[in-house]
Amino acid sequence: MSKSAKDELIEKIRGGCAKVAVFGLGYVGLPLAVEKAKVGLTVIGIDRQAERVEKVNRAESYIPDVIQGSLEEVVRKGKLRATTDTSVLREVDAACICVPTPLNKNKEPDISYIINVTEKIAEHLHRGELVVLESTTYPGTTEEVILPRLEESGLKVGEDFFLAFSPERVDPGNKLYKTHNTPKVVGGVTPNCTEVARELYEKIVKDVKTVSSPRVAEAEKLLENVFRSVNIALVNELAVLCKRMGIDIWEVIDAASTKPYGFMPFYPGPGLGGHCIPIDPYYWSWKAREYDFHAKFIELAGEINDNMPYYVVSLVQNALNDLGKSLRGSKILVLGVAYKKDIDDFRESPALKIIKALKEMGADVVYNDPYIPSVKIGDGMVESVEASDDILQESDCVLITTDHSVYDYNRIVEKARLVVDTRNATRCVKTRGAKIVKL
Ligand code: SAJ
């Protein structure tokens, strides 16, 4: 009796001879592709950006979390190659989708990348193939959007092909948790789909947690990110309240953090950046409306977090005012445009909104970010300037928006006249000098 498609695929995965396509070679896809290639699977990275494809094939890592040596090893061994040509899908045993899931300008989900890739996969779908969606999306995407397109092939899910959702968990810059040691959740459309997907991920992840459906897996990922968005919004709102009450929010949080149970510290900041936390929660609140449900916590958190860049602008304006200066015409040095410290990613970075707003109000704004040599602000490209003693001394205000570890905060406070600190980065500063205004 011939083997079932499921048993054949599991045999290939266990034997290490499965061929895996990874769609999207970004912060999620490239680390995943390298990890799968490191365990001996043959991986084909597919990306529509030819530049990325060429860099991968030259073994040049463009993702800080992908160690150059690891990429070189798998490319040299022929275990990883990249292409823009989706026809390679006819030869793969599994396809992992790691494409962006942004919002449109009305903060509504844009799953066009998922749909485009699904249609390419559907074109070449064959018996014995596993498809896994990793991109964060609303509960229902896998079964309502992907499954029907794949079933148009006439192949039957759970018997001829397999479909699952397994959320990506990538924390850019995290030195401790990488792909291999971050538990992975997997939810298949059928038990066979879950089993096959678990086999694939157990090749690269120590701890795989299976759940009963793709919707549970889609929802748990959103819970992870809504949890962060809501808790960050909570401390952001309390930061504004404490400022008005003359209470140091940072001291309050540090004190609350002494509680060994039942409390987890979050910190106020200039707003939410990154490709996840400011975006993913809206996927759930958007889907909720289909069920006549208004996810008030999600929307309120978004409103509070979205307002923080503008609150920071008012802090700068008031701090200058206290020194008898107007914002218009003031020289402002912004330290850090990355959305969080020690990384080079500025997607959705609140610092960009702050710089744009300060410029629109007539301030003379320059920025420094050792990780980001230039960035688009409004209609033009702006270059990072050196945070020299002179520029620190000439600035009417130095605004810390990203607390990169490389900054010498003692020198910054010593040379500057006024420091507005949105990250409590100056908490250990001993030197006297600038007037420091904290969030
Ligand atoms: N932020 C605060 N206060 C905090 C924590 C973060 O203002 O207490 C800000 C950060 O400065 C940043 C934004 O929120 O602008 C997002 O920060 P983040 O720490 O959530 O990091 P991300 O978005 O790079 O990665 C997150 C993952 N981070 C952590 O779990 C620490 C995780 O939530 C997801 O695995 C990942 O998004 C994802 O891909 O969904």
Side-chain angles (χ1 to χ4, degrees):
M1 185 178 157
S2 67
K3 280 196 182 105
S4 70
K6 181 192 83 166
D7 292 343
E8 279 179 17
L9 181 50
I10 287 176
E11 202 171 286
K12 283 184 183 173
I13 293 170
R14 285 184 181 162
C17 58
K19 278 191 179 177
V20 182
V22 175
F23 258 101
L25 297 176
Y27 277 82
V28 174
L30 189 58
L32 181 70
V34 169
E35 289 299 318
K36 287 185 189 286
K38 275 165 67 174
V39 297
L41 295 168
T42 302
V43 182
I44 306 174
I46 303 174
D47 199 295
R48 58 185 200 163
Q49 294 184 44
E51 186 198 346
R52 278 183 169 179
V53 166
E54 285 150 23
K55 283 189 175 176
V56 169
N57 290 331
R58 289 200 305 264
E60 289 172 19
S61 176
Y62 49 84
I63 301 286
D65 288 343
V66 174
I67 298 162
Q68 182 65 31
S70 303
L71 181 59
E72 283 166 359
E73 184 190 347
V74 293
V75 171
R76 181 171 42 80
K77 286 181 179 174
K79 283 298 177 186
L80 172 60
R81 68 181 179 88
T83 179
T84 57
D85 175 11
T86 55
S87 69
V88 297
L89 287 163
R90 68 167 73 95
E91 64 187 73
V92 301
D93 303 300
C96 297
I97 305 172
C98 305
V99 295
T101 45
L103 295 173
N104 65 24
K105 63 182 187 307
N106 301 101
K107 291 196 186 298
E108 292 159 337
D110 171 5
I111 58 168
S112 59
Y113 293 94
I114 291 180
I115 291 170
N116 292 342
V117 167
T118 300
E119 279 159 4
K120 300 286 184 212
I121 293 173
E123 267 175 56
H124 303 285
L125 188 70
H126 49 268
R127 181 180 180 277
E129 185 176 357
L130 166 65
V131 178
V132 184
L133 175 62
E134 290 220 2
S135 307
T136 305
T137 183
Y138 60 80
T141 304
T142 301
E143 290 158 300
E144 297 167 13
V145 176
I146 297 183
L147 180 57
R149 284 170 172 78
L150 298 185
E151 283 191 317
E152 280 170 14
S153 63
L155 294 173
K156 184 154 179 43
V157 70
E159 287 174 28
D160 304 320
F161 75 94
F162 309 95
L163 176 60
F165 182 82
S166 178
E168 53 96 355
R169 278 178 174 169
V170 173
D171 182 20
N174 191 315
K175 300 290 179 243
L176 178 60
Y177 292 106
K178 304 288 183 192
T179 302
H180 71 275
N181 65 348
T182 300
K184 201 87 165 61
V185 171
V186 172
V189 171
T190 72
N192 276 356
C193 299
T194 303
E195 186 183 345
V196 170
R198 191 194 62 231
E199 285 287 340
L200 178 65
Y201 284 101
E202 280 180 341
K203 297 288 285 184
I204 60 168
V205 177
K206 226 169 30 207
D207 178 2
V208 175
K209 163 79 178 164
T210 57
V211 291
S212 59
S213 71
R215 288 157 69 85
V216 169
E218 289 159 339
E220 78 80 14
K221 172 62 184 179
L222 289 176
L223 172 58
E224 288 174 35
N225 287 0
V226 168
F227 167 76
R228 294 184 67 73
S229 169
V230 167
N231 279 288
I232 294 166
L234 172 63
V235 288
N236 278 336
E237 179 172 76
L238 294 177
V240 178
L241 172 57
C242 284
K243 175 63 78 179
R244 195 169 297 180
M245 294 180 72
I247 299 171
D248 182 333
I249 183 67
W250 304 95
E251 188 182 2
V252 170
I253 294 167
D254 282 351
S257 301
T258 57
K259 183 177 179 185
Y261 52 83
F263 180 78
M264 178 178 178
F266 285 85
Y267 299 94
L272 285 197
H275 63 301
C276 311
I277 309 306
I279 290 170
D280 299 341
Y282 288 113
Y283 268 68
W284 210 348
S285 56
W286 173 84
K287 186 67 174 177
R289 285 180 224 136
E290 197 176 299
Y291 296 82
D292 294 333
F293 190 93
H294 298 275
K296 294 187 275 297
F297 261 107
I298 294 175
E299 295 291 341
L300 177 60
E303 183 186 320
I304 292 170
N305 291 328
D306 285 353
N307 182 57
M308 290 311 284
Y310 307 99
Y311 175 68
V312 167
V313 170
S314 71
L315 276 186
V316 171
Q317 188 169 25
N318 294 339
L320 286 166
N321 187 58
D322 289 351
L323 298 176
K325 293 180 182 172
S326 73
L327 186 58
R328 180 169 295 280
S330 285
K331 290 180 185 300
I332 299 175
L333 169 65
V334 172
L335 294 181
V337 291
Y339 74 81
K340 67 177 183 179
K341 72 177 182 178
D342 305 343
I343 65 169
D344 66 353
D345 190 349
F346 52 86
R347 285 174 294 179
E348 306 292 325
S349 176
L352 302 181
K353 293 175 184 165
I354 291 168
I355 293 171
K356 185 169 178 289
L358 290 171
K359 282 171 169 279
E360 285 167 356
M361 294 172 78
D364 174 8
V365 188
V366 294
Y367 88 90
N368 166 271
D369 191 311
Y371 295 86
I372 301 166
S374 65
V375 72
K376 191 166 187 289
I377 291 169
D379 298 332
M381 288 303 289
V382 183
E383 307 281 316
S384 172
V385 301
E386 187 201 345
S388 63
D389 287 0
D390 289 349
I391 206 161
L392 286 169
Q393 287 162 335
E394 285 160 15
S395 299
D396 296 303
C397 175
V398 174
L399 172 59
I400 300 170
T401 36
T402 313
D403 48 335
H404 288 312
S405 305
V406 292
Y407 283 135
D408 175 348
Y409 294 105
N410 279 296
R411 180 175 76 91
I412 289 164
V413 171
E414 185 194 339
K415 302 296 181 188
R417 280 177 265 177
L418 167 66
V419 173
V420 174
D421 178 2
T422 68
R423 300 286 194 170
N424 202 25
T426 56
R427 60 190 173 280
C428 301
V429 165
K430 299 281 181 288
T431 51
R432 304 195 54 70
K435 177 172 182 293
I436 299 175
V437 172
K438 290 200 296 188
L439 197 59

